[in-house]
Amino acid sequence: MRKLILLLLPVLALVAGCHKQDSYTYSGIEAGTISGGVFTSDGGTQMAVVGNAEKYDVSSTRRVLISYETEPVTDPGHISINLLGLLDAGILQPVHARSLPADPTGFPLQVSDAWFSEKYLNILATFDGKEPDKHTFSAAYTAGEKGITIRLDHDDTQEETTGNSPMSVFLCVPMYEPALSYDQYAQSTAMKPTYPIPVLLQWTSRTLDGGPLSLLERKGSYLPPHDN
């Protein structure tokens, strides 16, 4: 979890800085898969990791969120990057629920950003703690007339260390089952479904005075892949 505070910075635009007429560099934050020292973004761009000062594991195959800067690029088909930060993805298989609680439940966290890829609702969140491995997360969902609502829950009851520091976490909720449930609901009620499917995210945050607050925000719309 070292240097993960880098990922709390606002999402970087792809900033081109000219070095010479036929080369440039850019930096950014991307979600995707890392394997054998090569990062493949959700958009399909492959980048070879040539700089890794923090010695993150870049060999094992897994889903991650990275912050990076490129080496000077002369051929967009061959990109080399310096790795600045890395968060391993927590994959949360969502559980279908008849209803979701309207009142605050679970321990607070703050959703910094949420976006869709082909298979996932991706969530970047922060929470207070000292032992990140003692914090667990889960997801539940409902599907109905208004679309899909996903409830994100945070449990820190296993942490015993006193004092808090800001921690960050990258969570990915597979969208296959919620999208399928939405289709089934539409068929069972003769409802005309809406695509892309509206998706709302619910979680417990804090008020300005520190009290728990249940938030419900629309995070966009999800278009299921054709093979769904």
Side-chain angles (χ1 to χ4, degrees), residues 9 22-23 25 35 40 50 57 59 65 70 73 127 142-143 146 151 191 198-199 225:
L9 298 174
D22 61 350
S23 70
T25 64
S35 180
T40 304
V50 297
D57 174 12
S59 298
L65 180 70
T70 69
V73 178
F127 59 93
T142 60
K146 296 182 179 180
R151 168 76 196 190
M191 179 189 84
V199 178

Side-chain angles (χ1 to χ4, degrees), residues 6-185:
L6 288 166
L7 294 174
L8 299 180
L9 298 174
V11 175
L12 298 174
L14 298 183
V15 181
C18 294
H19 292 264
K20 52 185 179 180
Q21 190 170 3
D22 61 350
S23 70
Y24 60 92
T25 64
Y26 61 87
S27 56
I29 294 176
E30 296 271 1
T33 302
I34 202 159
S35 180
V38 176
F39 174 78
T40 304
S41 73
D42 284 341
T45 302
Q46 290 192 330
M47 308 178 190
V49 178
V50 297
N52 184 14
E54 296 299 322
K55 301 188 182 303
Y56 296 109
D57 174 12
V58 298
S59 298
S60 61
T61 302
R62 64 204 193 278
R63 183 167 177 77
V64 295
L65 180 70
I66 66 167
S67 61
Y68 66 94
E69 62 183 7
T70 69
E71 293 289 297
V73 178
T74 57
D75 178 0
H78 296 85
I79 301 175
S80 298
I81 61 172
N82 295 311
L83 197 58
L84 303 178
L86 181 149
L87 279 173
D88 285 299
I91 309 297
L92 304 182
Q93 190 61 45
V95 176
H96 185 264
R98 286 182 174 271
S99 62
L100 299 175
D103 296 326
T105 62
F107 291 84
L109 71 159
Q110 179 60 49
V111 173
S112 306
D113 198 8
W115 69 99
F116 294 101
S117 54
E118 183 179 16
K119 296 180 180 179
Y120 300 102
L121 169 62
N122 303 287
I123 303 166
L124 180 60
T126 60
F127 59 93
D128 291 333
K130 284 289 188 179
E131 301 173 280
D133 293 341
K134 299 293 181 68
H135 293 250
T136 59
F137 301 87
S138 60
Y141 75 92
T142 60
E145 183 179 355
K146 296 182 179 180
I148 297 169
T149 301
I150 296 175
R151 168 76 196 190
L152 179 63
D153 277 306
H154 168 214
D155 184 352
D156 71 357
T157 55
Q158 300 302 311
E159 183 171 76
E160 298 178 354
T161 303
T162 58
N164 289 311
S165 298
M167 303 281 179
S168 53
V169 63
F170 175 46
L171 303 171
C172 299
V173 179
M175 291 297 297
Y176 176 81
E177 288 189 12
L180 182 61
S181 293
Y182 177 78
D183 288 340
Q184 292 171 342
Y185 176 86

